[in-house]
Every structure is written in C-alpha cells, then in structure tokens.
Amino acid sequence: MVATPVKQKYDIKDISLAPQGRQRIEWAAREMPVLKQIRERFAQEKPFAGIRLVACCHVTTETANLAIALHAGGADSLLIASNPLSTQDDVAACLVADYGIPVYAIKGEDNETYHRHVQIALDHRPNIIIDDGSDVVATLVQERQHQLSDIIGTTEETTTGIVRLRAMFNDGVLTFPAMNVNDADTKHFYDNRYGTGQSTLDGIIRATNILLAGKTIVVAGYGWCGKGVAMRAKGMGADVIVTEISPVPAIEAAMDGFRVMPMAEAAQQGDIFITVTGNKHVIRPEHFAVMKDGAIVCNSGHFDIEIDLKSLKEQAKEVKEVRNFTEQYILPNGKSIIVIGEGRLVNLAAAEGHPSAVMDMSFANQALACEHLVKNKGQLEPGMHSIPVEVDQEIARLKLQAMGIAIDSLTPEQVEYIHSWASGT
C-alpha cells in the first residue's frame, strides 16, 4: 500500500489510531476476495475518474475496503457515518491517514454532529451517493434541490432506506435513479440472513455476557433479517417466539418451527427482545408494563425508533449504565428493563457488525452498482432499479471460486430442453 498525503479536512476521534485501524482493515480484506478482484480492476480502469462520491455508511473495516476500492477507481470520495454508534474510530483514522479519504465520523457523536456531517457530505456536491437509510438523499431533496442536477444516482442497501426511497418516488421527489442493492440475491440472502443473524447475537453477548441457551427470545419481524436472527438464536438453544404483522411470513415462521403470537402476548414471556422490522414503536409502553423483571430489549433495524425509548425514559424513575452500551431502566413498580446500545443497531453499537465474508458480497454489489450508474449516466429513468441479474450472478460465481466450490453446468441437451415446449409426457 502506498500512503496518500492527506490534503482534505476530516472530523474523527484520533488520527493516531491509524496503525491499529490499518491492521484491522487488512485483516478484514482477507475475507473479502470478491471485492479485492473488483478493486484491482477498478485500479486499472478508473471508472470513477472525475466522479464526486459520498458514502453514508457504518464506518467499519468492511466499509473501509469498499471505500478503498472506490478510491482506487478514481473516485473523489468522502465518507460519513450512517449511525452515531457504529463508527470504528481506528478505521476512520486509517482511511484519513493512509488513503487521504476525508472521513467525518466519531463513535458516539451526537445527533447535531451527525446532521452537520450530512451537510458536509452534501457540500462535496456528490454525483453518486451511497446511502444507508437514505438520510443523505432525503436531506438533498428537502434542502438542496439546486444540487439535484449534479446527481447521477444513488445506491441503497438497507430495507429502511428502500422504503424511504420508494416513498420519495411515489411523492414525485426522487428525480434520479436509485439502485436497490438491498434486494440483490447476493445481498439479502446472505447479509440480512447470515450477517444480521450472527452479528446481532454477537452484540447481545458482548454487551451482556449472558447465556442464550434456555432463554425465551422474541424476534419482532420475520423478513430476511428476522429469519437469520431466529435461526441463529434457535441454534444457540433459545426458545424463539416470532411476532409479525403480515400473514405470509407469520405462516413461514410457524412452518419453520417457531411460536408465533402478537407482541402483547410475547411481551409477558420473553427474556430477550430483538426488533428487526424497519418500523416505528414495535415495542411500546403497554409491552414494557408486562415484561419480566430484567427483560433485555435491543434493536437490529436501521434506525433507533423501533423501541419506544422516549416513553420508557419518561416512565423510569432511574436510568443507569450497568455495562458498556447497556442501560438499566428501573420502573415505578420496581421492575427493570435492560436496553442495549441505546436502541440503535445492536450488532454495531455493541459489536463489530457483520462478518467480513458476508459484507464481501454486499459491498461488491455496492461497488458494481456505482459503476452501473456511471456507465449508464443519463440512460436510467428516475426511481428504483434492481441490480442486473448478470451482476448478481457474477458476484456469486466469484464468491464460489474464492471458496473453492465448483458447480455443474447445463449440458447442450438440457439447454435445449429448458428452452423448448414441445417435449412432454
């Protein structure tokens, strides 16, 4: 690696943490072979030469490898945190010191600082936006309409962000193309299910050091993230209850062997509650009121609104930190509720996020989605666009290759059969 002189401003905790961050970034890179191949090609082809790019992501070792790949491709990029508690300060320091990538992210930054960083990102006048949760895009369309003509497109890889983008498009304010990275097969099948499934439990265990076996764990939401959390919790020996609002995933959860019931009923039985819905106030005052003494609640959805913490704070007669990232709310009836990570993403607030091997595919999608936007500048209609099937398939092929796994190919006879209709019984 050749160090790049730092010429631009930044807002990070401590630049002296860079050597530690560099070690951790390089360690993560060992598990990200697909992104490595893309970075090597980008370094030769420079697809982002002359492109200003802003990324609003969790500043982790895996995101660093994405940022380095885009930087290698010639992007004039800037990185901000998508969540106040997800930044790894040593990683931010390394990106600034060793790569000259301006980073505005500090673990534990307050909301005022977070919103100031969003404004700094837009001051960069981006052509491409990589968003987690669509805060940058939402701020752009609300406050910076004079910059809309600069935008080639955006990419989004969170369920929450996709919901917001679709709402923007329906309201007629999304006037540029948005790549739906979240719904790529090589993203949601693996990142949401295996990444969220493992890292959520990792965050709970690191924050509390409790035994999951024998506990009753309530998983709110049975989308791909909920499936992963429920599956991993069951594998750890927990009795898992799923709550849902949609009948189809509720049936699926029941068929997968989980108990399914309303939150009002589950609240009385759960030892640990995990929200992964992408919606607001899934756990509310009426649920807190009937929970067991010492019940643990946490969130693995993108924003910190799934648990109604405002109401919980108003009810509590005392709030105290009992472990790192773990607070105890003591209610007037003497019972206590334990909240992990301030209701923010528990896997990033209390742990390190998804394993690198999973993020390899997610960030390969991000990198290639950005390239797709640049290559098709002016040709894509405003609104949501799926990752091209051939890109999804290529990422999967590269991942299999890196894992040393071979698969079959169709014979000429099979190709002919699946493209014909004349053959039958």
Side-chain angles (χ1 to χ4, degrees), residues 221-224 227 242-256 258 260:
Y222 203 67
W224 285 106
K227 290 174 189 176
V242 170
T243 70
E244 252 296 342
I245 59 163
S246 181
V248 173
I251 293 172
E252 187 178 7
M255 295 294 188
D256 286 343
F258 302 112
V260 179

Side-chain angles (χ1 to χ4, degrees), residues 184-418:
D185 286 346
T186 46
K187 196 280 181 185
H188 71 264
F189 281 164
Y190 306 99
D191 181 320
N192 294 13
R193 179 165 49 174
Y194 299 108
T196 304
Q198 177 170 311
S199 63
T200 296
L201 299 188
D202 183 26
I204 293 169
I205 292 168
R206 291 197 200 194
T208 63
N209 194 33
I210 63 169
L211 180 68
L212 299 185
K215 295 290 194 300
T216 297
I217 296 182
V218 178
V219 178
Y222 203 67
W224 285 106
C225 292
K227 290 174 189 176
V229 172
M231 177 173 62
R232 287 290 176 261
K234 183 178 181 180
M236 294 286 284
D239 172 26
V240 179
I241 296 172
V242 170
T243 70
E244 252 296 342
I245 59 163
S246 181
V248 173
I251 293 172
E252 187 178 7
M255 295 294 188
D256 286 343
F258 302 112
R259 291 193 286 155
V260 179
M261 62 186 71
M263 180 60 78
E265 186 179 343
Q268 303 173 53
Q269 302 183 40
D271 299 305
I272 303 167
F273 296 80
I274 305 167
T275 57
V276 276
T277 70
N279 212 327
K280 183 178 182 179
H281 293 175
V282 179
I283 298 179
R284 303 182 293 277
E286 63 266 31
H287 303 134
F288 296 130
V290 297
M291 285 181 181
K292 298 176 182 178
D293 181 30
I296 296 170
V297 297
C298 63
N299 168 54
S300 210
H302 184 74
F303 289 126
D304 61 340
I305 58 173
E306 301 205 22
I307 302 166
D308 187 358
L309 287 182
K310 182 180 179 182
S311 294
L312 183 60
K313 288 177 182 177
E314 290 172 351
Q315 289 182 40
K317 63 180 184 180
E318 182 183 356
V319 180
K320 61 180 180 180
E321 186 176 48
V322 290
R323 289 173 62 92
N324 288 341
F325 312 115
T326 306
E327 293 179 316
Q328 181 181 43
Y329 288 72
I330 300 175
L331 303 180
N333 62 9
K335 291 183 180 181
S336 65
I337 304 292
I338 309 299
V339 178
I340 306 176
E342 300 177 11
R344 300 186 185 277
L345 283 156
V346 67
N347 56 346
L348 284 154
E352 297 179 54
H354 293 354
S356 305
V358 169
M359 296 310 298
D360 186 29
M361 288 185 284
S362 297
F363 284 158
N365 274 292
Q366 285 280 30
L368 296 181
C370 291
E371 184 182 37
H372 182 74
L373 286 170
V374 172
K375 283 184 174 179
N376 293 278
K377 178 183 177 182
Q379 299 176 41
L380 299 174
E381 294 293 325
M384 305 301 300
H385 294 265
S386 298
I387 297 293
V389 173
E390 58 272 19
V391 170
D392 223 348
Q393 292 289 322
E394 178 64 7
I395 290 170
R397 186 190 68 78
L398 291 172
K399 191 66 172 180
L400 285 171
Q401 184 181 64
M403 296 170 71
I405 297 173
I407 60 175
D408 286 321
S409 299
L410 292 172
T411 66
E413 182 184 24
Q414 289 170 330
V415 172
E416 181 181 358
Y417 177 78
I418 63 173

Side-chain angles (χ1 to χ4, degrees), residues 122-197:
L122 290 172
D123 288 343
H124 193 58
R125 298 194 68 92
N127 308 122
I128 299 286
I129 296 171
I130 298 175
D131 228 348
D132 263 13
S134 287
D135 269 352
V136 175
V137 172
T139 304
L140 172 74
V141 299
Q142 288 174 323
E143 303 177 17
R144 303 278 191 115
Q145 292 194 5
H146 61 283
Q147 290 182 221
L148 290 174
S149 60
D150 293 338
I151 303 297
I152 296 172
T154 185
T155 70
E156 175 61 59
E157 68 169 2
T158 70
T159 303
T160 299
I162 295 302
V163 169
R164 296 182 79 189
L165 285 170
R166 286 185 174 136
M168 289 181 216
F169 183 67
N170 291 337
D171 286 347
V173 297
L174 184 65
T175 58
F176 46 83
M179 298 299 298
N180 183 353
V181 173
N182 188 64
D183 288 351
D185 286 346
T186 46
K187 196 280 181 185
H188 71 264
F189 281 164
Y190 306 99
D191 181 320
N192 294 13
R193 179 165 49 174
Y194 299 108
T196 304

